[in-house]
Structures are given as structure tokens and as C-alpha cells.
Amino acid sequence: GQHGGAHGGGHLEEEISFRWQCVEQPIGKLLFQRFLEGAPGLAAAGALWAELEAYERCEEAERGAAAAALRGRFFTPGGAEHCGFLSAAAMAPPTGEAPP
């Protein structure tokens, strides 16, 4: 690998480790979300995560409104909890979705 360094592919292991510790493990996830909520500048990221999980559980019929609310709250400059650290690609509407 080009960016593996001395222990080749260490980057991938770290990614899996983060996902395992902070997403797939219930206690790790809870602690990580608590950390985000309590850290200045990261609370919006924690809130976005929680809202995205709620969105995943939405009924199909509710998703359009839920997506619009998410965009207004987190993806719009000047929005209540604008996540300015997100890339343009991360904030782009899904392909095939008509703009409001």
C-alpha cells in the first residue's frame, strides 16, 4: 500500500477499529455520542448522527419531510446546527431526489 507505512495497511485497521468501538459496540457508541454532545463544536455532529439514525427508522412516506428537515437544520449555512465540516458531496441531495 502507498500510505500503509511501516505496518502496511494500518489505516484500514484503525478504521475498522473505530467503527467497531464507536458504532457497533453499544457501550462504546453511547460513550462516543456522549463525548460528541459534551464537546464544543462537536455537539452538532452528535445531534446529526442521532437524527440520521432516526431517519433510518422512518417509514418510507415520512422520509422526504425528514430529509428536508435534516438539510435545513444541519446542512444549511446559518441553520440551527450547521455542520460546516461536512463535504459538499456529503451534503448533496441523493441522486434521483427532486429538489423541494
Side-chain angles (χ1 to χ4, degrees), residues 53-63 66:
E53 292 200 322
Y55 174 81
E56 293 291 322
R57 294 189 294 269
C58 270
E59 295 298 321
E60 204 62 44
E62 299 168 0
R63 287 199 165 189

Side-chain angles (χ1 to χ4, degrees), residues 11-82:
H11 177 67
L12 185 63
E13 286 162 29
E14 283 164 30
E15 244 170 33
I16 292 168
S17 174
F18 167 80
R19 180 166 184 85
W20 186 81
Q21 290 175 348
C22 299
V23 179
E24 292 167 7
Q25 297 300 307
I27 189 70
K29 180 176 172 178
L30 180 68
L31 291 172
F32 185 61
Q33 288 178 327
R34 291 259 169 87
F35 161 75
L36 289 175
E37 286 163 16
L42 296 180
L48 174 59
W49 187 358
E51 291 298 324
L52 286 172
E53 292 200 322
Y55 174 81
E56 293 291 322
R57 294 189 294 269
C58 270
E59 295 298 321
E60 204 62 44
E62 299 168 0
R63 287 199 165 189
L70 276 168
R71 276 202 286 277
R73 182 171 164 194
F74 298 105
F75 299 171
T76 306
E81 293 174 278
H82 179 229

